[in-house]
């Protein structure tokens, strides 16, 4: 059976400015003592087009560990803006939280991330060069996508389990099998477009009345 069960992951300081660190409060349980370390990573996906834009924001080693429940806050610096393609700065991307044992990755938790300007004027008329100081990052913490891998724990190998505070519990393997955030982004854009059309129509009618 799996020797490590991730009980909960809480995304802290969210939403927040783009330049703020990532913070994940991770609670996990060891069913028995682990003689070797767990290696955790936070990876920012700079572009869906190529893995060359992925940035490993930080790596932390935890262990050796005794049996029982453990909790820590994993904090990592924001991604280097210069390594993100300009066309991929605004909009939806992904941040990954991974954990490995004996150099074997056994779980990967992916969160959709929406980067956008908080100011309405900048949303409607974004600058040609992204202004990272005015960007806001919003991690969709209620909708993680979890991939689990069988590894050799030294007892034949098994998958780990994962539960999060909102009740989401994955029941199948697979990476990013949902499109909800993208659909939501398109819905938001359409609503914004309709709002501007209504405002323009009202302004036109007001001018006719005047």
């Amino acid at each position: 059976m799996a020797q490590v069960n991730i009980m909960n992951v809480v995304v802290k300081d969210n939403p927040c400015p783009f330049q703020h660190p990532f913070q994940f409060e991770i609670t996990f349980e060891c069913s028995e003592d682990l003689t070797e370390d767990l290696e955790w990573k936070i990876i920012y996906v700079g572009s869906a087009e190529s893995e060359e834009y992925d940035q490993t924001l930080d790596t932390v080693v935890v262990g050796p560990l005794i049996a029982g429940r453990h909790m820590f806050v994993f904090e990592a610096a924001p991604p280097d803006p210069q390594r993100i393609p300009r066309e991929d700065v605004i909009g939806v991307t992904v941040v990954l939280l991974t954990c490995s044992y004996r150099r074997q990755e056994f779980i990967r938790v992916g969160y959709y991330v929406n980067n956008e300007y908080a100011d309405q004027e900048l949303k409607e008329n974004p600058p040609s060069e992204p202004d990272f100081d005015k960007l806001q990052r919003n991690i969709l913490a209620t909708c993680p996508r979890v991939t689990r891998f069988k590894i050799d724990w030294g007892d034949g190998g098994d998958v780990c389990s994962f539960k999060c505070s909102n009740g989401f519990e994955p029941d199948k393997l697979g990476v990013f099998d949902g499109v909800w955030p993208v659909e939501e982004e398109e819905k938001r854009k359409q609503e914004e477009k309709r709002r501007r059309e209504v405002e323009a129509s009202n302004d036109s009618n007001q001018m006719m009345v005047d």
Side-chain angles (χ1 to χ4, degrees), residues 28 67 71 92 95 130 133 156 199:
F28 64 96
M71 187 273 286
V92 178
V95 65
D133 290 332
E199 290 179 351

Side-chain angles (χ1 to χ4, degrees), residues 94-96 108-112 145-147 174-179:
V94 170
V95 65
L96 302 172
R108 175 175 297 195
V109 184
Y111 293 94
Y112 288 104
R145 294 291 181 265
V146 181
T147 306
V175 184
F176 312 131
D177 52 357
V179 294

Side-chain angles (χ1 to χ4, degrees), residues 39-44 55-61 74-77 96-98:
E39 182 182 63
W40 299 83
K41 293 182 180 181
I42 296 176
I43 302 170
Y44 185 86
Q55 298 185 45
T56 299
L57 304 182
D58 203 356
T59 301
V60 64
V61 173
F74 190 2
E75 181 174 316
L96 302 172
L97 175 66
T98 73

Side-chain angles (χ1 to χ4, degrees), residues 1-2 4-5 106 148-151 153 157-161 173:
M1 61 177 293
V4 177
N5 292 328
F106 64 87
R148 294 164 288 173
F149 306 96
K150 286 189 176 183
I151 69 168
W153 295 94
D158 200 348
V159 296
C160 71
S161 64
L173 301 179

